[in-house]
Amino acid sequence: MVKNTFISGFSQEEKEENRGSVEFQVFSFTNKIRRLTSHLQLHRKDYLSQRGLRQILGKRQRLLAYLSKKSRVRYKELIGRLDIRELKTH
């Protein structure tokens, strides 16, 4: 049920054409992050899942940093669509 609500953000045609795009990768990482956080709320001592979550968060952060450098408009649109926080700037 939860998965279907997030997948509806991308139409079937967009998924088939642009699986390698930065937006789709961030979208799929966000789905994985939401699934893992709900899992970790039940299983607090699952340290391997915590490690996997940190790795996925790092990958998503790097992709978002890349996208913000390349196209600020696409970055802002993606942040708004997925309802995630903006990157911290140093």
Side-chain angles (χ1 to χ4, degrees):
M1 182 174 99
V2 173
K3 187 175 181 180
N4 292 336
T5 58
F6 296 123
I7 289 178
S8 64
F10 276 80
S11 69
Q12 188 66 25
E13 297 162 0
E14 287 178 331
K15 281 192 277 187
E16 293 299 322
E17 292 176 8
N18 298 324
R19 290 206 173 192
S21 71
V22 176
E23 287 92 348
F24 187 82
Q25 289 181 46
V26 170
F27 171 76
S28 63
F29 285 147
T30 302
N31 285 336
K32 287 181 184 180
I33 289 166
R34 289 183 175 147
R35 273 199 330 256
L36 275 173
T37 51
S38 66
H39 168 78
L40 287 171
Q41 287 173 349
L42 293 174
H43 308 283
R44 296 192 187 279
K45 294 190 175 186
D46 189 353
Y47 299 117
L48 289 177
S49 293
Q50 288 178 13
R51 180 175 186 267
L53 177 63
R54 285 192 299 269
Q55 287 178 333
I56 294 170
L57 283 168
K59 286 180 187 178
R60 185 179 76 172
Q61 185 177 9
R62 287 191 299 273
L63 281 172
L64 286 172
Y66 168 78
L67 187 61
S68 71
K69 288 177 193 171
K70 292 300 254 185
S71 173
R72 194 70 179 169
V73 175
R74 286 171 49 197
Y75 170 75
K76 289 283 189 181
E77 180 183 318
L78 185 64
I79 293 287
R81 187 193 296 188
L82 295 179
D83 193 31
I84 53 181
R85 287 182 289 181
E86 196 165 339
L87 289 175
K88 296 179 192 174
T89 55
H90 297 294

